[in-house]
Amino acid sequence: MLLITALSGCQAISNWQPASGPSKRIIEQQVDTAGTGLTIIDIDNQITHRTTDVSPNRRFSDYFRTSSGFNNTINAGDVVDVSIWEAPPALLFGSASDIATLTGSKEVKLPEQMVDNRGQITIPFVGKLVVSGKTPQQVQDMIVKGLHKKANNPSAVVRIAKNNTADITIIGEVNNSTRMPLTGKGERLLDAIAAAGGTKHPSSRVTIQLNRRGQSVEMPFDKVMSDPAQNVLLQKGDVVAVHYQTKSFTVLGAVAKNDEISFETGGISLMQALARAGGLNDSRADARGVFIFRQESINVLNAEQYQALPPEFRRQSIVPVIYRLNLKDPINYIVAQNFAVKDKDLIYVSNAPAVEFRKFVTLIGQGAFIINTIDNLNE
């Protein structure tokens, strides 16, 4: 009699009996209700590729394609160092004894000077030279030309003593935020991280953001280190920011551990996420009812799913989506290895129908025991 009652009243009674969350059947019924705005999407290879396409991994090499590094030009505010040589006899820069004895060449080292706001420096016997935008080699040629017929076979060496205008900035979760001057060597992204003393946190927990002329791209540090193409050449004015990332997902229901779990910036798969939660609970879980609740791009929906949305949802770029995975199908274990978990995802594993029935029978049994005890006491 109890069994017949249980079978006939199971659906109604399950609404008030204890449970850790909705069953697979209840979730699917709620989604089928018109106007909820919820969509269930079964996870397969096609949807795995589609979710990747709507949120592709951005790479530095796709946005910052530079074939050469810093061009080493002089600009206003830079400090330059100038040395001039004159062959013997040194007629312009030498002394009377130098001229009389025909001694070796004469070197004159000028004091370091900053390029003024008009882009000029001053050279003795030459005057003011506009050097802004020119390379040290070009300035050397200008000095030699200016000393022609004044000095005896002159030559010059010009170098940038202090590069105040062609530098990059490194900030964020590094050991020493700094400004790093660029040189003709061609410094790269990892050079900047090294110049700042490295990151404060493990590479798996940080991302690198490169900002250049209004363009900003962010990548996991691990992927930059593993792919040489992402170690891009730096340009004047670049800002490199290191961020500590606290990505996490929440897992609830019939798993070994209900918890909020952090994961690496490079991301993890759904199968890895379930493993970190201790896997499905053998005595409770419905392997057909693994759900991922997510705020997803509307571009993931196909035409039929889009039309099923309430009108107000169709005007949004982000909509609530429930992904469903059936782990009774062996092929889905491979699919789950490629389905990426995203920050703030909620993973829920429903109880198997037999669990709800078992709890109901237990409640009936307890009630029958109490009634039998009362009858015995009355006797």
Side-chain angles (χ1 to χ4, degrees), residues 20-21 249-261 276-279 281 284 346-349:
S20 60
F249 65 91
T250 302
V251 59
L252 299 173
V255 291
K257 180 178 65 173
N258 285 204
D259 199 1
E260 180 181 6
I261 301 174
R276 293 191 185 188
N281 188 315
R284 291 175 50 207
L346 170 61
I347 301 174
Y348 174 72
V349 180

Side-chain angles (χ1 to χ4, degrees), residues 280-293:
L280 275 60
N281 188 315
D282 287 345
S283 62
R284 291 175 50 207
D286 183 353
R288 300 168 302 171
V290 178
F291 298 95
I292 298 91
F293 294 77

Side-chain angles (χ1 to χ4, degrees), residues 283-314:
S283 62
R284 291 175 50 207
D286 183 353
R288 300 168 302 171
V290 178
F291 298 95
I292 298 91
F293 294 77
R294 176 184 296 172
Q295 295 291 331
E296 184 66 277
S297 169
I298 198 170
N299 295 327
V300 167
L301 307 182
N302 59 32
E304 181 181 351
Q305 293 163 344
Y306 176 80
Q307 291 300 325
L309 289 175
E312 62 272 17
F313 278 74
R314 297 177 196 171

